[in-house]
Amino acid sequence: MQRRSFLKAGLLGGLALVAGGAVYRQLRPAVAQRFALDDQGRSILAVLIPAMAGCAPDAPALAAAIDRVGAAINGLPLRVQKEISDLFGLLSMAPTRRLLAGVPAWPEATPAEVAAFLQSWRTHRTEMLQTAYHGLHDLVIGGWYAEPSTWADIGYPGPMKELSA
């Protein structure tokens, strides 16, 4: 790739992000409010949870994990909830999803595409994407392993029992 082509691609990508952000801001108010896990957010989590947990949970376990992640987000300060809502919004919009994650649509995303997206964010040179990855990772893993039935997968016997004297 020539330098000029590279610069043009970078400029076009930057403009696309600015345009996507402007559209997103028009659709969602900037006022901090409680996070609401909508169907788009649930479909994102339905793909991220198996990829991050390293297993293919059955439908009830996946639905319960998604609910736990939503509850965990709702326990965070409003400012953080707004940031997570913005992240889910960007990952839901087709242009920004393709640009930021490289995924055409969440329900059709292959495990390889999701793994590549997560790895690219985890090791990205931009701290913002690394922070987004780590936030998603902590929420998903926390929501998954909050259920005692998942502890055996990682060899965790559970909390220590108090010994009676």
Side-chain angles (χ1 to χ4, degrees):
M1 178 182 269
Q2 292 181 344
R3 182 174 174 229
R4 186 171 293 203
S5 299
F6 180 74
L7 291 173
K8 285 181 185 177
L11 182 61
L12 288 174
L15 289 174
L17 279 175
V18 168
V23 169
Y24 179 75
R25 290 286 177 211
Q26 291 297 323
L27 297 175
R28 294 195 179 214
V31 177
Q33 53 190 353
R34 285 230 161 278
F35 177 81
L37 189 58
D38 58 9
D39 289 340
Q40 292 175 338
R42 294 183 80 78
S43 69
I44 293 169
L45 288 173
V47 173
L48 292 182
I49 288 172
M52 289 182 167
C55 63
D58 60 15
L62 182 59
I66 291 170
D67 291 340
R68 287 191 300 273
V69 171
I73 294 169
N74 282 321
L76 297 170
L78 284 179
R79 179 186 55 77
V80 177
Q81 289 183 41
K82 174 68 174 134
E83 291 174 0
I84 293 170
S85 180
D86 289 346
L87 177 61
F88 274 83
L90 288 172
L91 290 175
S92 296
M93 291 174 43
T96 53
R97 179 184 60 243
R98 274 205 176 272
L99 190 61
L100 292 173
V103 177
W106 291 112
E108 291 83 34
T110 66
E113 288 173 328
V114 176
F117 147 64
L118 292 171
Q119 180 64 13
S120 72
W121 276 27
R122 189 177 75 79
T123 60
H124 202 276
R125 67 177 182 245
T126 306
E127 187 177 344
M128 181 180 68
L129 292 181
Q130 288 181 11
T131 302
Y133 165 80
H134 289 294
L136 284 173
H137 178 268
D138 291 352
L139 287 167
V140 166
I141 294 301
W144 178 251
Y145 287 112
E147 172 57 39
S149 66
T150 61
W151 296 348
D153 295 340
I154 57 171
Y156 177 60
M160 292 179 58
K161 306 289 187 244
E162 194 173 311
L163 298 175
S164 52

